[in-house]
Short mmCIF file of all heavy atoms in Angstrom, two decimals:
data_model
loop_
_atom_site.label_atom_id
_atom_site.label_comp_id
_atom_site.label_asym_id
_atom_site.label_seq_id
_atom_site.Cartn_x
_atom_site.Cartn_y
_atom_site.Cartn_z
N PHE A 1 -1.00 -7.11 5.30
CA PHE A 1 -1.48 -5.75 5.52
C PHE A 1 -1.37 -4.90 4.26
O PHE A 1 -2.18 -4.00 4.05
CB PHE A 1 -0.69 -5.10 6.66
CG PHE A 1 -1.23 -5.42 8.02
CD1 PHE A 1 -0.70 -6.47 8.76
CD2 PHE A 1 -2.27 -4.69 8.57
CE1 PHE A 1 -1.19 -6.79 10.01
CE2 PHE A 1 -2.78 -5.00 9.82
CZ PHE A 1 -2.24 -6.05 10.55
N LEU A 2 -0.36 -5.20 3.42
CA LEU A 2 -0.18 -4.43 2.19
C LEU A 2 -0.85 -5.12 1.00
O LEU A 2 -0.66 -4.68 -0.14
CB LEU A 2 1.32 -4.28 1.90
CG LEU A 2 2.11 -3.48 2.94
CD1 LEU A 2 3.61 -3.53 2.63
CD2 LEU A 2 1.63 -2.04 3.01
N GLY A 3 -1.61 -6.16 1.27
CA GLY A 3 -2.23 -6.92 0.19
C GLY A 3 -3.70 -6.63 -0.04
O GLY A 3 -4.41 -7.46 -0.62
N GLY A 4 -4.18 -5.50 0.44
CA GLY A 4 -5.57 -5.15 0.22
C GLY A 4 -6.54 -5.72 1.24
O GLY A 4 -7.74 -5.78 0.97
N SER A 5 -6.03 -6.14 2.40
CA SER A 5 -6.92 -6.70 3.42
C SER A 5 -7.90 -5.65 3.95
O SER A 5 -9.06 -5.96 4.25
CB SER A 5 -6.11 -7.27 4.58
OG SER A 5 -5.29 -8.33 4.14
N PHE A 6 -7.44 -4.42 4.09
CA PHE A 6 -8.25 -3.37 4.68
C PHE A 6 -8.58 -2.23 3.72
O PHE A 6 -9.08 -1.19 4.12
CB PHE A 6 -7.55 -2.80 5.92
CG PHE A 6 -7.22 -3.85 6.94
CD1 PHE A 6 -5.93 -4.33 7.08
CD2 PHE A 6 -8.22 -4.38 7.74
CE1 PHE A 6 -5.63 -5.30 8.02
CE2 PHE A 6 -7.93 -5.35 8.68
CZ PHE A 6 -6.64 -5.82 8.82
N TYR A 7 -8.26 -2.42 2.47
CA TYR A 7 -8.56 -1.41 1.46
C TYR A 7 -8.59 -2.06 0.09
O TYR A 7 -8.14 -3.20 -0.09
CB TYR A 7 -7.49 -0.30 1.47
CG TYR A 7 -6.09 -0.80 1.23
CD1 TYR A 7 -5.58 -0.91 -0.06
CD2 TYR A 7 -5.27 -1.18 2.28
CE1 TYR A 7 -4.30 -1.38 -0.30
CE2 TYR A 7 -3.99 -1.66 2.06
CZ TYR A 7 -3.51 -1.76 0.77
OH TYR A 7 -2.24 -2.24 0.54
N SER A 8 -9.13 -1.33 -0.87
CA SER A 8 -9.13 -1.81 -2.25
C SER A 8 -7.87 -1.31 -2.95
O SER A 8 -7.47 -0.15 -2.76
CB SER A 8 -10.37 -1.30 -2.99
OG SER A 8 -10.28 -1.59 -4.37
N VAL A 9 -7.27 -2.15 -3.73
CA VAL A 9 -6.07 -1.75 -4.48
C VAL A 9 -6.39 -0.58 -5.40
O VAL A 9 -5.53 0.27 -5.67
CB VAL A 9 -5.51 -2.94 -5.27
CG1 VAL A 9 -4.38 -2.51 -6.19
CG2 VAL A 9 -5.04 -4.03 -4.32
N HIS A 10 -7.63 -0.50 -5.85
CA HIS A 10 -8.03 0.57 -6.76
C HIS A 10 -8.01 1.94 -6.08
O HIS A 10 -8.09 2.97 -6.76
CB HIS A 10 -9.42 0.30 -7.33
CG HIS A 10 -9.50 -0.95 -8.14
ND1 HIS A 10 -8.63 -1.22 -9.18
CD2 HIS A 10 -10.33 -2.03 -8.06
CE1 HIS A 10 -8.94 -2.40 -9.72
NE2 HIS A 10 -9.96 -2.91 -9.06
N MET A 11 -7.93 1.95 -4.75
CA MET A 11 -7.87 3.22 -4.03
C MET A 11 -6.47 3.82 -4.05
O MET A 11 -6.29 4.97 -3.65
CB MET A 11 -8.33 3.01 -2.57
CG MET A 11 -9.76 2.51 -2.44
SD MET A 11 -10.18 1.95 -0.77
CE MET A 11 -10.08 3.49 0.13
N LEU A 12 -5.48 3.04 -4.48
CA LEU A 12 -4.10 3.50 -4.51
C LEU A 12 -3.81 4.29 -5.79
O LEU A 12 -4.52 4.14 -6.79
CB LEU A 12 -3.15 2.30 -4.43
CG LEU A 12 -3.25 1.42 -3.18
CD1 LEU A 12 -2.33 0.21 -3.33
CD2 LEU A 12 -2.89 2.20 -1.93
N PRO A 13 -2.76 5.12 -5.80
CA PRO A 13 -2.32 5.78 -7.04
C PRO A 13 -1.92 4.73 -8.08
O PRO A 13 -1.54 3.61 -7.72
CB PRO A 13 -1.11 6.61 -6.59
CG PRO A 13 -1.32 6.81 -5.12
CD PRO A 13 -1.99 5.57 -4.63
N PRO A 14 -1.99 5.06 -9.36
CA PRO A 14 -1.71 4.08 -10.43
C PRO A 14 -0.37 3.37 -10.27
O PRO A 14 -0.28 2.15 -10.49
CB PRO A 14 -1.75 4.93 -11.70
CG PRO A 14 -2.67 6.05 -11.37
CD PRO A 14 -2.44 6.35 -9.92
N PHE A 15 0.68 4.10 -9.89
CA PHE A 15 1.99 3.48 -9.74
C PHE A 15 1.98 2.39 -8.68
O PHE A 15 2.49 1.28 -8.89
CB PHE A 15 3.04 4.54 -9.40
CG PHE A 15 4.39 3.96 -9.07
CD1 PHE A 15 5.22 3.49 -10.08
CD2 PHE A 15 4.81 3.86 -7.76
CE1 PHE A 15 6.47 2.94 -9.77
CE2 PHE A 15 6.05 3.31 -7.44
CZ PHE A 15 6.88 2.85 -8.46
N TRP A 16 1.38 2.70 -7.51
CA TRP A 16 1.37 1.73 -6.42
C TRP A 16 0.41 0.58 -6.69
O TRP A 16 0.56 -0.51 -6.13
CB TRP A 16 1.02 2.43 -5.11
CG TRP A 16 2.12 3.33 -4.66
CD1 TRP A 16 2.13 4.70 -4.65
CD2 TRP A 16 3.41 2.92 -4.19
NE1 TRP A 16 3.34 5.16 -4.20
CE2 TRP A 16 4.15 4.09 -3.91
CE3 TRP A 16 4.03 1.68 -3.99
CZ2 TRP A 16 5.45 4.06 -3.44
CZ3 TRP A 16 5.33 1.64 -3.52
CH2 TRP A 16 6.02 2.82 -3.24
N GLN A 17 -0.59 0.80 -7.54
CA GLN A 17 -1.44 -0.31 -7.95
C GLN A 17 -0.62 -1.37 -8.67
O GLN A 17 -0.79 -2.57 -8.45
CB GLN A 17 -2.56 0.19 -8.85
CG GLN A 17 -3.63 1.01 -8.15
CD GLN A 17 -4.77 1.37 -9.08
OE1 GLN A 17 -5.06 0.64 -10.02
NE2 GLN A 17 -5.42 2.50 -8.81
N LYS A 18 0.29 -0.92 -9.54
CA LYS A 18 1.13 -1.86 -10.29
C LYS A 18 2.13 -2.54 -9.37
O LYS A 18 2.39 -3.75 -9.49
CB LYS A 18 1.85 -1.12 -11.41
CG LYS A 18 0.91 -0.55 -12.46
CD LYS A 18 1.67 0.21 -13.54
CE LYS A 18 0.71 0.81 -14.57
NZ LYS A 18 1.44 1.60 -15.60
N VAL A 19 2.70 -1.80 -8.42
CA VAL A 19 3.65 -2.37 -7.47
C VAL A 19 2.97 -3.43 -6.60
O VAL A 19 3.54 -4.50 -6.33
CB VAL A 19 4.27 -1.26 -6.59
CG1 VAL A 19 5.13 -1.88 -5.48
CG2 VAL A 19 5.11 -0.32 -7.44
N THR A 20 1.75 -3.14 -6.18
CA THR A 20 1.02 -4.05 -5.30
C THR A 20 0.76 -5.40 -5.95
O THR A 20 0.66 -6.43 -5.27
CB THR A 20 -0.32 -3.41 -4.88
OG1 THR A 20 -0.07 -2.16 -4.26
CG2 THR A 20 -1.08 -4.31 -3.91
N LEU A 21 0.66 -5.42 -7.27
CA LEU A 21 0.38 -6.68 -7.97
C LEU A 21 1.52 -7.68 -7.84
O LEU A 21 1.35 -8.86 -8.15
CB LEU A 21 0.09 -6.40 -9.45
CG LEU A 21 -1.19 -5.61 -9.73
CD1 LEU A 21 -1.36 -5.37 -11.23
CD2 LEU A 21 -2.42 -6.34 -9.17
N PHE A 22 2.69 -7.24 -7.38
CA PHE A 22 3.79 -8.17 -7.13
C PHE A 22 3.67 -8.85 -5.77
O PHE A 22 4.45 -9.75 -5.45
CB PHE A 22 5.14 -7.44 -7.20
CG PHE A 22 5.52 -7.02 -8.60
CD1 PHE A 22 5.26 -5.73 -9.05
CD2 PHE A 22 6.12 -7.92 -9.47
CE1 PHE A 22 5.60 -5.35 -10.34
CE2 PHE A 22 6.47 -7.55 -10.75
CZ PHE A 22 6.21 -6.26 -11.20
N ASN A 23 2.70 -8.43 -5.00
CA ASN A 23 2.45 -9.03 -3.69
C ASN A 23 1.53 -10.23 -3.88
O ASN A 23 0.37 -10.08 -4.27
CB ASN A 23 1.80 -8.00 -2.77
CG ASN A 23 1.53 -8.54 -1.37
OD1 ASN A 23 1.69 -9.73 -1.10
ND2 ASN A 23 1.12 -7.66 -0.48
N PRO A 24 1.98 -11.45 -3.60
CA PRO A 24 1.13 -12.63 -3.84
C PRO A 24 -0.13 -12.67 -2.99
O PRO A 24 -1.13 -13.28 -3.39
CB PRO A 24 2.06 -13.81 -3.50
CG PRO A 24 3.11 -13.22 -2.60
CD PRO A 24 3.30 -11.81 -3.05
N VAL A 25 -0.10 -12.02 -1.83
CA VAL A 25 -1.27 -12.04 -0.95
C VAL A 25 -2.44 -11.29 -1.58
O VAL A 25 -3.61 -11.57 -1.28
CB VAL A 25 -0.91 -11.47 0.43
CG1 VAL A 25 -2.13 -11.42 1.35
CG2 VAL A 25 0.19 -12.30 1.08
N VAL A 26 -2.16 -10.33 -2.46
CA VAL A 26 -3.22 -9.58 -3.14
C VAL A 26 -4.17 -10.53 -3.85
O VAL A 26 -5.40 -10.36 -3.81
CB VAL A 26 -2.61 -8.58 -4.15
CG1 VAL A 26 -3.69 -8.01 -5.07
CG2 VAL A 26 -1.92 -7.45 -3.42
N TYR A 27 -3.63 -11.55 -4.49
CA TYR A 27 -4.45 -12.48 -5.26
C TYR A 27 -5.31 -13.35 -4.35
O TYR A 27 -6.44 -13.69 -4.70
CB TYR A 27 -3.55 -13.34 -6.15
CG TYR A 27 -2.72 -12.51 -7.09
CD1 TYR A 27 -1.44 -12.09 -6.74
CD2 TYR A 27 -3.22 -12.10 -8.33
CE1 TYR A 27 -0.68 -11.31 -7.60
CE2 TYR A 27 -2.48 -11.32 -9.18
CZ TYR A 27 -1.20 -10.92 -8.82
OH TYR A 27 -0.46 -10.13 -9.66
N LEU A 28 -4.78 -13.69 -3.18
CA LEU A 28 -5.56 -14.48 -2.22
C LEU A 28 -6.72 -13.68 -1.67
O LEU A 28 -7.87 -14.14 -1.65
CB LEU A 28 -4.65 -14.95 -1.07
CG LEU A 28 -3.43 -15.79 -1.43
CD1 LEU A 28 -2.61 -16.08 -0.19
CD2 LEU A 28 -3.85 -17.09 -2.10
N VAL A 29 -6.42 -12.46 -1.22
CA VAL A 29 -7.46 -11.61 -0.64
C VAL A 29 -8.50 -11.23 -1.69
O VAL A 29 -9.71 -11.25 -1.43
CB VAL A 29 -6.83 -10.34 -0.02
CG1 VAL A 29 -7.92 -9.39 0.46
CG2 VAL A 29 -5.89 -10.71 1.12
N SER A 30 -8.03 -10.91 -2.90
CA SER A 30 -8.95 -10.49 -3.96
C SER A 30 -9.92 -11.62 -4.33
O SER A 30 -11.13 -11.40 -4.44
CB SER A 30 -8.15 -10.06 -5.19
OG SER A 30 -9.01 -9.74 -6.26
N GLY A 31 -9.39 -12.82 -4.52
CA GLY A 31 -10.26 -13.94 -4.85
C GLY A 31 -11.23 -14.29 -3.74
O GLY A 31 -12.40 -14.59 -3.99
N PHE A 32 -10.73 -14.21 -2.51
CA PHE A 32 -11.59 -14.52 -1.36
C PHE A 32 -12.69 -13.47 -1.22
O PHE A 32 -13.85 -13.81 -0.95
CB PHE A 32 -10.73 -14.58 -0.09
CG PHE A 32 -11.39 -15.28 1.06
CD1 PHE A 32 -11.81 -16.59 0.94
CD2 PHE A 32 -11.58 -14.62 2.26
CE1 PHE A 32 -12.41 -17.25 2.00
CE2 PHE A 32 -12.19 -15.27 3.33
CZ PHE A 32 -12.60 -16.58 3.20
N ARG A 33 -12.35 -12.19 -1.43
CA ARG A 33 -13.36 -11.13 -1.32
C ARG A 33 -14.39 -11.24 -2.45
O ARG A 33 -15.57 -10.95 -2.25
CB ARG A 33 -12.67 -9.77 -1.34
CG ARG A 33 -13.64 -8.59 -1.20
CD ARG A 33 -12.90 -7.29 -1.03
NE ARG A 33 -12.29 -7.19 0.28
CZ ARG A 33 -11.03 -6.85 0.50
NH1 ARG A 33 -10.23 -6.59 -0.52
NH2 ARG A 33 -10.57 -6.78 1.73
N TRP A 34 -13.94 -11.69 -3.62
CA TRP A 34 -14.88 -11.86 -4.73
C TRP A 34 -15.95 -12.87 -4.38
O TRP A 34 -17.12 -12.72 -4.76
CB TRP A 34 -14.14 -12.30 -5.99
CG TRP A 34 -15.03 -12.48 -7.18
CD1 TRP A 34 -15.42 -11.53 -8.07
CD2 TRP A 34 -15.68 -13.70 -7.60
NE1 TRP A 34 -16.26 -12.08 -9.03
CE2 TRP A 34 -16.44 -13.41 -8.75
CE3 TRP A 34 -15.67 -15.00 -7.10
CZ2 TRP A 34 -17.17 -14.37 -9.41
CZ3 TRP A 34 -16.43 -15.96 -7.76
CH2 TRP A 34 -17.16 -15.65 -8.90
N SER A 35 -15.56 -13.93 -3.66
CA SER A 35 -16.54 -14.95 -3.30
C SER A 35 -17.60 -14.41 -2.35
O SER A 35 -18.69 -14.97 -2.25
CB SER A 35 -15.83 -16.15 -2.65
OG SER A 35 -15.31 -15.82 -1.38
N PHE A 36 -17.30 -13.30 -1.65
CA PHE A 36 -18.27 -12.68 -0.75
C PHE A 36 -19.17 -11.68 -1.48
O PHE A 36 -20.39 -11.75 -1.37
CB PHE A 36 -17.54 -11.96 0.39
CG PHE A 36 -17.08 -12.85 1.50
CD1 PHE A 36 -16.03 -13.71 1.32
CD2 PHE A 36 -17.71 -12.83 2.73
CE1 PHE A 36 -15.59 -14.53 2.34
CE2 PHE A 36 -17.30 -13.65 3.77
CZ PHE A 36 -16.23 -14.51 3.57
N TYR A 37 -18.54 -10.75 -2.22
CA TYR A 37 -19.29 -9.59 -2.71
C TYR A 37 -19.20 -9.37 -4.22
O TYR A 37 -19.66 -8.33 -4.71
CB TYR A 37 -18.79 -8.32 -2.02
CG TYR A 37 -18.69 -8.43 -0.53
CD1 TYR A 37 -17.47 -8.26 0.12
CD2 TYR A 37 -19.81 -8.73 0.24
CE1 TYR A 37 -17.37 -8.37 1.49
CE2 TYR A 37 -19.72 -8.85 1.61
CZ TYR A 37 -18.49 -8.67 2.25
OH TYR A 37 -18.40 -8.78 3.60
N ASP A 38 -18.59 -10.28 -4.96
CA ASP A 38 -18.40 -10.08 -6.40
C ASP A 38 -17.49 -8.89 -6.69
O ASP A 38 -17.57 -8.28 -7.75
CB ASP A 38 -19.74 -9.88 -7.13
CG ASP A 38 -20.43 -11.21 -7.42
OD1 ASP A 38 -19.72 -12.20 -7.67
OD2 ASP A 38 -21.66 -11.25 -7.40
N LEU A 39 -16.63 -8.56 -5.72
CA LEU A 39 -15.67 -7.47 -5.88
C LEU A 39 -14.27 -8.06 -5.90
O LEU A 39 -13.94 -8.90 -5.07
CB LEU A 39 -15.77 -6.46 -4.74
CG LEU A 39 -17.10 -5.72 -4.57
CD1 LEU A 39 -17.06 -4.84 -3.33
CD2 LEU A 39 -17.41 -4.90 -5.81
#
């Protein structure tokens, strides 16, 4: 839920964007979403 499943990490404040990158699920969701929409 905190890995960008329902939102873009870029929508977060800069500090929380950096914190979110320590969440491994972010990389799974991001790569999977890229395969759909190039995002």
